[in-house]
Amino acid sequence: MLNEVDAVRADGGMVHIRTLAAGDRDALLEFNRRVSDRSLYRRFFNLSRDAADAYVEALLSPVGAHHQVLVAVIGGDLVGVASYECIDVASAEFAVLIQDHEQHAGIGTLLIEHLAGVARKHGIRRFVADALTENYPLIKMVRQLGFPTTTHAECGTIVMSFSLDVTADVLAAVDERDRAADAASLVRLLAPHSVVVIGAGSRPKSVGHEVLRNILDGGYTGRVDVVNPKHRTVLGVASVPTARQLPVVPDLAIVAVPASAVRQVVVECGARGVHGILLLTAGFGETGVDGKALEHEVLSVARGYGMRVIGPNCLGLLNTEPSISLNATFASLSMRPGALGLASQSGALGVAVLQAAHACGLGVAQFVSVGNKADVSGNDLLLAWERDERVGVIGLYLESFGNPRKFARIARRVSRTKPIVAIKAGRSAAGQRAGLSHTAAAASSDAAVDALFIQSGVLRVDRMEQLLDVARMLSDQPIPAGPRVVIVGNSGGPAILATDAAEAAGLVVTELSEATAHLLRQVVPSAASCANPVDLGAAVQPTEVGEALRILLAANEVDVVLTVFTDTLAADPDEVMDAIVTATATSQKTVAATHVGGPARSQHVPGTKRAVPVFTFPEAAANALGLACHYGQIRAVSRALPARPSGIDCDAARTLLSDVGDPGWLDAQGAAELLTQYGITVARQRIVTDVDSAVRAATELGYPVAAKIGGGVVHKTDVGGVLLDIDDQAQLLAAFDGVRAAAPDAPVIIQSMIDSGTELILGAVQDAQFGPLIMLGAGGVLADLIADRQFRLAPLSAEDADDMIAALRCAPLLDGYRGRTPVSRQALHTLLLRLAALVEDLPEVVELDLNPVVCRGEDLIVVDAKIRVGRRPLAPDPALRRLRE
């Protein structure tokens, strides 16, 4: 049941949605008095206000599975009511009524979204509603929800019906509404037309003082006010004692007062009608429990007044849009416009990146230091920047995720049109989680982050300079059409290093055609080598460099060019670089330049809006080119939807799990039965506890058989718990005794021997934040020895499954390496999809190991399975829009 949430309306304002309470009778009656006759008629099909008031009593009856009522509240006023009443066990009739002055702001849509979420939790699968034919706002709203809706006319009404299943179309519609609303809510924070600095004083080097100075010195185009009870002016700007006394309501309040004073300041800003807060003050959640409580209290006050909050504990924001020109930070930053949008949880790191960007000629569109992310987060900024034409590349520094599943959906969509480059701190082993299975032990939080970024199309880098390098490449150059690189320079050593770095970055050092080599020899007769890497010789002149580069840019076998030139006395290095840059003007191919030992910079291409990024060393240039090419591949692949194989009996699997008692590991038989419901083949086996039943099992299965420990041990072979190729009863008796000795309290599995093949491990674990994480790797005794593993988040697309297989180092074994029996990649692909469907459908399966899975041709047989069942995790409903809590 819904308690209460805050959400963003279509117009960018805020609304509070909660379950109707017993004390709401007077508010409901007042709501009825204020609503217009027209709206009343559309809701109740008559104009009787007495009937509407009488219905209040029905609304106030206790809520439960068959009856639910949600209300929308703005500024303490009830402005919307939505309810449903069950028709049968799976269907309910819904209704919604919004106050006239708040209609067309998306409140009704939000109420129905959340009402549907409550209904789903109670097992209701369908909503129906009757609408007067003239009630086109309701009819339009229902059709735009994204649910497949059926309608038919009946006695002057339109009867609408739709399934509440959350499909891809539903999520797409929800996400688009979320994007538009979120962007609208942030526009006056990120591009304000008026600001007030609260806490700016006369003391230099104080936070408020320096922020105000930056705003003034940066040429901010809007109105600036100051709140400080001790001064009438600060830096020439008029000051008032409190925000309530501001002569003009500002879009953004920049707060730099002690933490103990923040709550009252926020109250005063809200009372004055301020749109948003940029809270620079530290001393909140980063300090511990008490600080976290204060942070939550301040956020609650801000939400009550409908204000969004950036921070607290942040460094500020920057917007270089000439019509805004706002530096609301307390750092020395350039106002050079550019294409980079940077969001950082660490203000200091963000400032360092921006200062380095300025040094090498990269401009910035916006920078936001999100600090503790009490409200505005990286997800919000992705939504705000998605349609911002000035932001061409998005950079993120992340220390944590608030809602990684939502991040995945947003980033997957945004990365189709704009590159996202991210640093996620915390790759160390300290993030490793403990677990009893191979999968749980291997599935660190960083593995989940890697999977998230890979599937979302995010380019992950490890260092600040890498983020800056690839941002320069993607901001200043066309996106590469492919990975084929040619390396051209004036000396052999740096070119060899560049070649090694290019291959390590995933680029293909292409073989130049004889025609291209011939043209190069014509323009640079003294060239040491016209093969790739091309060595034009130490004495090459700038005009020759330019001609050679034009030839390479025109070559069909070349996608990208990496130039590597070292200073010599034979040619002016600046003239060489000018020749390189000029040669790129008429080409749409990607070029990165290296001035070995020289300063990193971006050099403008005459007659274009582009620049050539110049690097100090070739390794950095090659790495940036490789990431740019990877992004080109991301954009070239059509967006993939989750795939689900046929032959799955989810209902039978749920029934099987419902019969399981306490949480824990399923026995071998239960694990096998569960896998079978998902079409996963398990080796024929019997579970036995004594010698006689072991003999009977072996007879039924047919010799040869294997005997092994039935549970509780991960590394069975290490303790002598697996005995193979048992050919007769005498061997079986000895094997049974040996296995029981290794684990006296565990049952024994007698299993049919299967032909040897390539052994793989497949597994899954439920991550509390990220959801189901799927693992594929080299199996058997190699599972831990070589740690050849790939992870992806469920649900998997067909492309995800193929990528996991192809990325394994042991992948050549699947293709019949050195006489091995080949393994069907398609069969493995399907097995991965079945496993992903299982843990997506059954989140109470918290840990799962299939190791080994013996693979021969089309036959993929699970030899050993461990499945742990726990409490069903509370996963957020992806179809519900709500602000961070």
Side-chain angles (χ1 to χ4, degrees), residues 541-553:
Q541 295 302 298
T543 54
E544 295 175 311
V545 170
E547 289 301 317
L549 192 57
R550 288 184 181 90
I551 290 168
L552 293 171
L553 287 168

Side-chain angles (χ1 to χ4, degrees), residues 573-626:
D574 291 335
E575 292 182 7
V576 170
M577 192 57 62
D578 288 344
I580 291 170
V581 172
T582 301
T584 69
T586 57
S587 174
Q588 289 301 310
K589 291 184 178 177
T590 312
V591 178
T594 306
H595 180 183
V596 180
R601 59 195 186 276
S602 292
Q603 192 159 330
H604 180 253
V605 179
T608 74
K609 295 182 179 180
R610 302 197 308 271
V612 173
V614 182
F615 297 85
T616 302
F617 296 109
E619 293 87 350
N623 183 259
L625 266 178

Side-chain angles (χ1 to χ4, degrees), residues 131-143:
L132 292 170
T133 53
E134 70 174 61
N135 195 357
Y136 50 86
L138 176 61
I139 297 169
K140 179 181 178 182
M141 181 191 73
V142 169
R143 286 174 173 166

Side-chain angles (χ1 to χ4, degrees), residues 327-344:
N327 179 4
T329 74
F330 51 101
S332 178
L333 297 175
S334 164
M335 294 298 290
R336 173 185 289 164
L340 177 63
L342 180 64
S344 177

